[in-house]
Structure formats: structure tokens, C-alpha cells
């Protein structure tokens, strides 16, 4: 029971009932050695009923759940039975240390254990645990308002892999709405879907299509839906496109083709919306775009665990960024003889570069941004007119026209950015033990994040180290004292 109070006055309560063991104790073991009791704990603990009352004790809402039990029938397959079979083992006879003055009737327990050298015989008993699962199959919700009530009944249907493939909602007026999910196992003639089910990929629970259906006057209509297209990328399978239903009115079921060899069974109705154009070697999205729109690129570092730059309106081959903090260089190549070193006043992170970086790019117009402590060159030309100054650090921005190779070098440089003209880049640095330590937006405004010894966010500062936000953590005090 959960009660709600305000200044000592009741604001209502919620009573919940859960599946549990029957009253009484489990049966006593009758064999030796003892084997685990068949208590099937996975059957218990689910919410059966929930009742919500107002402050006057009037029932406002009632929820009842029904479940289905699926018990694994591994015992019908000899090979699987061997995998599940266990043995309970217990010592049965012992050897005394001195057979002449050792164990004898009437000895005290302490004396017996002191005289025992060790067990010489064991007794065993084989057993196989009962395994299975319990899944929600139906939820019935009744909401009360005076003498009126509103009933919604939600039913769940699962496939052999226990994925929910149909969620049907029926209300008091017998209106039925369904969400139908199609998984790879339904596309037996599609090569990609077949490979998704291989032992290497094991993508049984990855949805291919999600459809919204509504029954009107006895006829089912498709009212919404998406399709996730996948493609083979080496040995991996990656999502390539998200497609969605385009229609001005509901589509009758008779106009929707059956599932075939294509993942999209209705390409005339369900059109591509988002494309995932490139991935990193670890499967993170490196470039994506809305269909017919400019691409968005994402640069990853810290062993490809964190995004260090997001670039709007530029493909990944036309971007690069590094703050010299992690193992990668964000698309840049380090020049021979360059040295990365730590400093206490880097614009972002803790490291800067003495030397240079370079990148070969498709021919075009580009913008290079760099923070510098001393002399700096872009494509061999010294840069001297800073756009921004913070302490000893100066920010330079250089536009390059119709180039295919870009180099940036200096005595102490940091936050080296590259993107095609017209693009906008936001960058990030991290401390992997704590989290985000700085961001630098498209206008080169820097925000710093500081943490306490427990890894909790403590301060948010602007680029001049002024505190924008301060977080204070206190233990909850006992209000009864």
C-alpha cells in the first residue's frame, strides 16, 4: 500500500497485489543429499492488481493484469537435458586420523570432528531445475467517474522468441487499435533478415516494421507505420534507412501487400525519411541525413566511445576535429616530429600540440578554426588576425578556396577544426572517469563542466571561467529530530 498525505491529511492511496507463494512453508526435503526446492521463483513477483483511491476512499481506477507461463521443455531433448542437469554432492563417510584411538560410539561431536581426517565417500543425487518465463498477456483498466466508467483492455501476443508482435487496445465502445511489429524471422526469403538471425548476429528482437492499425466498421485500416531497412556491412549488419507511411487517409488492409522478400512490403505507401550513410568500425553512426537534405556528421574518439564533434551540413570526409585529448585525432593526420603535451591552461581539455596536422579532402571550399598560444600557420601561411582572445590564447579562422589538402601547424595549438564552408560544428571533450568537461559551439563559445570527488557535476563555467551554475549536494536530514 502507498499512501499520500499533505500536512497530515490524506490525499488518497494506491493498493497493489502481487503474485506470491501460497501460504505455508515449502515441503521438507525427503532425500539426501538435499537438492534445491522446486520453488519456480520466476513465476512470482508480478503485479496482479492495482487499486487507486481518492482521499475519501472512493475507487478511481482499477488495473488487472493476466500472465501466460511458458515452461522450457528442455527435458524432452537429451542433448539439452545434459546441459541443464546438475548434481547435489555431500560427504557420506569419513576417515579418522588414528584408526586405533579414533571414532567410537559415545564420542562428543567436537571430539569426532577433531579425529576426522577427511571424507572418503560421497553421495550424489542428480536434479534438473524447472525453467521458464512468465509474460504479460492482458491488462484491463477501468477508470471511474461517479456512476460512469471507462474500460480499456490491452492484449499482448508474442512470437516464439517472446517478442511482442501485436498489442491490441479495445475500449468501451468496442473500438480496436493495434500495433503490429514484424521481426526478422518473418522475412524468410530476405537475405539480410536471414543473416540477422545467424549465430554471429543474433538479432531476433530487432524490429523490422512497426505498423499502426485501426478497425473501423469491421474493416482494418493502416494508419501509421515505419520500416527499418538494414544492409550487410562486412560481417556486421547496420541500419541503412528509416521509412514511414505517407498517406492523407487510412489505407484499407486489402490495399497493403503481404510480406515478401522485401523488408518494405508497401514501398508505394512507405517512403524513405532518414538515411544512415556511414558507420564507424565499432558500429556508431558517422554520417546521417534526412532524405534530400544536407548530411550531419559525427566524429568519435576516446576509443570510439564518445562523440567529440557534430557537424551540420557537411559529409564526414569534409570534416576533422581534435583537441588532442584521446587516442584518435578525429580525421587529422599527425605531422612527423609533432609532440602532444599537457598544459594547465589549454582552451579545452588538458593537452595541446607543438607541431602540425594535415588532411586530404575532396576539392572544395573549407573553413579551418584553431586556438593558438604562439605562431600558427594554415597551409603554410602565417595567421595573425585573431577573431577572439581568452587570456594568452587566440582564436583564428581561415577560409580556404578550392583546396584538396589542408595543413595546420604551430608552436602550441588546440581545438583544431575543419569543415566545409557553410557547415556548423559543435565539439566536446571528456574525462572518461567523470564525463563531459567542455563544449565549444558553432560560434566558438566554450562552456566548462567541473566535478567533485564523487563524480557529481559541481560547476558549469563560461569561457572566462565565470560560474554559470553551481550544484550543492546535501544529505537528507531527519525531519523528526
Amino acid at each position: 500500500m502507498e499512501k499520500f498525505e499533505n500536512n497530515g491529511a490524506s490525499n488518497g492511496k494506491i493498493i497493489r497485489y502481487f503474485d506470491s507463494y501460497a501460504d505455508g512453508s515449502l515441503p521438507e526435503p525427503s532425500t539426501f543429499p538435499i537438492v534445491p526446492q522446486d520453488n519456480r521463483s520466476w513465476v512470482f513477483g508480478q503485479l496482479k492488481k492495482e487499486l487507486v483511491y481518492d482521499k475519501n476512499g472512493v475507487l478511481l481506477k482499477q488495473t488487472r493484469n493476466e500472465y501466460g507461463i511458458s515452461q522450457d521443455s528442455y527435458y524432452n531433448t537429451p542433448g539439452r537435458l545434459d546441459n541443464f542437469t546438475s548434481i547435489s554432492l555431500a560427504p557420506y563417510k569419513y576417515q579418522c586420523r588414528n584408526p586405533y584411538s579414533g571414532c567410537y560410539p559415545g564420542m562428543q561431536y567436537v571430539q569426532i570432528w577433531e579425529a576426522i581426517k577427511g571424507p572418503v565417500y560421497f553421495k550424489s543425487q542428480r536434479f534438473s531445475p524447472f525453467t521458464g518465463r512468465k509474460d504479460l498477456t492482458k491488462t484491463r483498466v477501468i477508470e471511474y467517474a461517479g456512476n460512469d466508467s471507462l474500460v480499456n483492455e490491452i492484449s499482448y501476443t508474442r512470437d516464439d522468441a517472446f517478442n511482442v508482435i501485436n498489442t491490441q487496445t479495445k475500449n468501451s465502445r468496442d473500438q480496436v487499435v493495434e500495433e503490429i511489429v514484424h521481426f526478422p524471422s518473418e522475412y524468410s526469403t530476405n537475405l539480410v533478415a536471414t543473416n540477422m538471425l545467424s549465430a554471429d548476429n543474433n538479432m531476433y528482437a530487432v524490429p523490422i516494421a512497426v505498423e499502426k492499425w485501426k478497425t473501423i466498421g469491421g474493416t482494418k485500416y493502416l494508419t501509421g507505420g515505419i520500416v527499418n531497412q538494414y544492409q550487410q556491412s562486412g560481417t556486421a549488419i547496420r541500419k541503412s534507412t528509416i521509412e514511414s507511411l505517407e498517406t492523407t487517409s487510412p489505407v484499407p488492409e486489402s490495399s497493403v501487400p503481404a510480406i515478401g522478400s522485401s523488408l518494405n512490403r508497401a514501398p508505394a505507401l512507405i517512403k524513405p525519411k532518414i538515411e544512415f550513410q556511414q558507420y564507424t568500425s565499432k558500429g556508431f553512426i558517422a554520417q546521417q541525413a534526412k532524405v534530400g537534405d544536407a548530411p550531419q556528421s559525427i566524429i568519435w574518439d576516446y576509443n570510439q566511445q564518445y562523440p567529440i564533434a557534430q557537424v551540420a551540413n557537411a559529409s564526414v570526409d569534409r570534416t576533422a576535429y581534435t583537441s588532442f585529448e584521446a587516442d584518435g585525432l578525429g580525421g587529422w593526420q599527425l605531422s612527423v616530429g609533432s609532440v602532444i603535451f599537457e598544459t594547465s591552461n589549454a582552451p579545452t581539455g588538458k593537452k595541446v600540440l607543438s607541431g602540425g596536422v594535415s588532411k586530404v579532402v575532396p576539392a572544395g571550399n573549407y573553413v579551418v578554426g584553431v586556438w593558438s598560444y604562439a605562431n600558427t600557420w594554415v597551409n603554410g601561411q602565417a595567421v595573425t588576425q585573431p577573431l577572439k582572445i581568452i587570456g594568452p590564447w587566440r582564436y583564428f579562422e581561415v577560409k580556404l578556396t578550392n583546396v584538396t589538402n589542408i595543413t595546420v601547424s604551430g608552436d602550441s595549438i588546440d581545438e583544431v577544426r575543419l569543415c566545409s564552408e557553410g557547415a556548423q560544428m559543435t565539439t566536446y571533450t571528456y574525462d572518461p572517469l567523470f564525463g563531459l568537461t567542455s563544449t565549444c559551439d558553432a560560434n566558438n563559445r566554450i562552456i566548462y563542466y567541473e566535478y567533485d570527488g564523487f563524480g557529481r557535476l559541481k560547476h558549469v563555467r563560461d569561457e572566462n571561467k565565470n560560474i554559470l551554475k553551481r550544484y550543492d549536494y546535501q544529505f537528507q536530514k531527519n525531519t523528526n529530530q
Side-chain angles (χ1 to χ4, degrees), residues 226-417:
I226 63 168
V227 173
N228 299 306
Q229 291 283 0
Y230 292 86
Q231 64 183 12
Q232 195 80 34
S233 177
T235 58
I237 294 176
R238 307 294 186 211
K239 185 182 294 188
S240 59
T241 311
I242 296 178
E243 303 166 341
S244 67
L245 179 67
E246 284 187 4
T247 181
T248 56
S249 58
V251 181
E253 186 178 26
S254 58
S255 299
V256 180
I259 290 177
S261 60
S262 173
L263 299 184
N264 184 348
R265 62 169 167 162
L269 300 171
I270 301 175
K271 307 292 182 65
K273 294 296 181 182
I274 300 175
E275 297 174 330
F276 303 100
Q277 299 164 334
Q278 192 168 332
Y279 286 84
T280 70
S281 59
K282 291 191 174 182
F284 297 106
I285 296 171
Q287 183 176 312
Q288 61 186 357
K290 293 181 180 179
V291 173
D293 205 350
Q296 179 196 43
S297 299
I298 304 171
I299 302 173
W300 298 79
D301 207 339
Y302 299 87
N303 197 27
Q304 293 190 31
Q305 296 302 307
Y306 296 97
I308 61 171
Q310 295 190 51
V311 190
N313 200 30
S315 57
V316 70
D317 60 342
R318 296 174 182 267
T319 63
Y321 163 75
T322 182
S323 183
F324 308 106
E325 301 303 310
D327 54 296
L329 290 169
W332 291 108
Q333 294 293 322
L334 198 64
S335 301
V336 176
S338 299
V339 177
I340 298 172
F341 62 95
E342 289 194 10
T343 180
S344 60
N345 66 344
T348 61
K350 300 177 181 178
K351 299 177 182 179
V352 298
L353 175 74
S354 176
V357 292
S358 63
K359 182 178 175 70
V360 176
V361 293
N365 301 334
Y366 293 87
V367 176
V368 173
V370 57
W371 284 88
S372 172
Y373 189 82
N375 299 320
T376 305
W377 297 267
V378 175
N379 275 16
Q381 300 295 315
V383 290
T384 58
Q385 299 297 319
L387 296 182
K388 196 172 189 177
I389 298 175
I390 300 178
W393 289 89
R394 298 170 297 164
Y395 174 72
F396 299 97
E397 198 167 274
V398 180
K399 293 184 179 180
L400 302 172
T401 303
N402 195 27
V403 296
T404 58
N405 189 77
I406 297 170
T407 61
V408 183
S409 59
D411 298 328
S412 293
I413 59 177
D414 195 19
E415 277 285 308
V416 186
R417 297 180 168 200

Side-chain angles (χ1 to χ4, degrees), residues 108-340:
Q108 299 296 317
Y109 286 117
V110 174
Q111 293 175 310
I112 292 175
W113 286 112
E114 288 177 347
I116 287 175
K117 183 176 182 180
V120 291
Y121 293 103
F122 292 83
K123 196 169 185 179
S124 66
Q125 185 171 200
R126 295 163 61 92
F127 68 94
S128 299
F130 285 92
T131 62
R133 56 186 288 150
K134 187 175 182 180
D135 295 297
L136 183 65
T137 58
K138 183 180 291 186
T139 297
R140 182 178 175 86
V141 181
I142 306 175
E143 297 184 68
Y144 301 94
N147 294 325
D148 297 324
S149 63
L150 179 65
V151 180
N152 278 305
E153 191 171 278
I154 306 171
S155 300
Y156 304 92
T157 304
R158 289 174 167 79
D159 62 14
D160 292 339
F162 302 101
N163 299 309
V164 177
I165 58 174
N166 189 316
T167 302
Q168 183 186 90
T169 303
K170 184 178 181 181
N171 63 23
S172 299
R173 296 188 293 273
D174 285 335
Q175 295 174 330
V176 177
V177 176
E178 293 176 89
E179 179 182 273
I180 298 177
V181 185
H182 300 284
F183 292 91
S185 58
E186 296 184 59
Y187 301 83
S188 58
T189 59
N190 183 279
L191 180 60
V192 174
T194 302
N195 289 341
M196 292 173 75
L197 302 178
S198 69
D200 290 335
N201 294 303
N202 196 29
M203 299 172 72
Y204 283 84
V206 176
I208 299 293
V210 180
E211 300 170 349
K212 305 286 187 180
W213 294 85
K214 187 173 183 178
T215 302
I216 305 173
T219 301
K220 287 181 65 173
Y221 292 88
L222 182 65
T223 60
I226 63 168
V227 173
N228 299 306
Q229 291 283 0
Y230 292 86
Q231 64 183 12
Q232 195 80 34
S233 177
T235 58
I237 294 176
R238 307 294 186 211
K239 185 182 294 188
S240 59
T241 311
I242 296 178
E243 303 166 341
S244 67
L245 179 67
E246 284 187 4
T247 181
T248 56
S249 58
V251 181
E253 186 178 26
S254 58
S255 299
V256 180
I259 290 177
S261 60
S262 173
L263 299 184
N264 184 348
R265 62 169 167 162
L269 300 171
I270 301 175
K271 307 292 182 65
K273 294 296 181 182
I274 300 175
E275 297 174 330
F276 303 100
Q277 299 164 334
Q278 192 168 332
Y279 286 84
T280 70
S281 59
K282 291 191 174 182
F284 297 106
I285 296 171
Q287 183 176 312
Q288 61 186 357
K290 293 181 180 179
V291 173
D293 205 350
Q296 179 196 43
S297 299
I298 304 171
I299 302 173
W300 298 79
D301 207 339
Y302 299 87
N303 197 27
Q304 293 190 31
Q305 296 302 307
Y306 296 97
I308 61 171
Q310 295 190 51
V311 190
N313 200 30
S315 57
V316 70
D317 60 342
R318 296 174 182 267
T319 63
Y321 163 75
T322 182
S323 183
F324 308 106
E325 301 303 310
D327 54 296
L329 290 169
W332 291 108
Q333 294 293 322
L334 198 64
S335 301
V336 176
S338 299
V339 177
I340 298 172

Side-chain angles (χ1 to χ4, degrees), residues 45-62:
Q46 295 84 8
L47 179 66
K48 293 194 333 184
K49 182 170 65 174
E50 180 181 87
L51 305 175
V52 180
Y53 295 88
D54 68 9
K55 63 181 181 181
N56 298 314
V58 176
L59 182 62
L60 300 177
K61 184 178 179 181
Q62 178 182 168

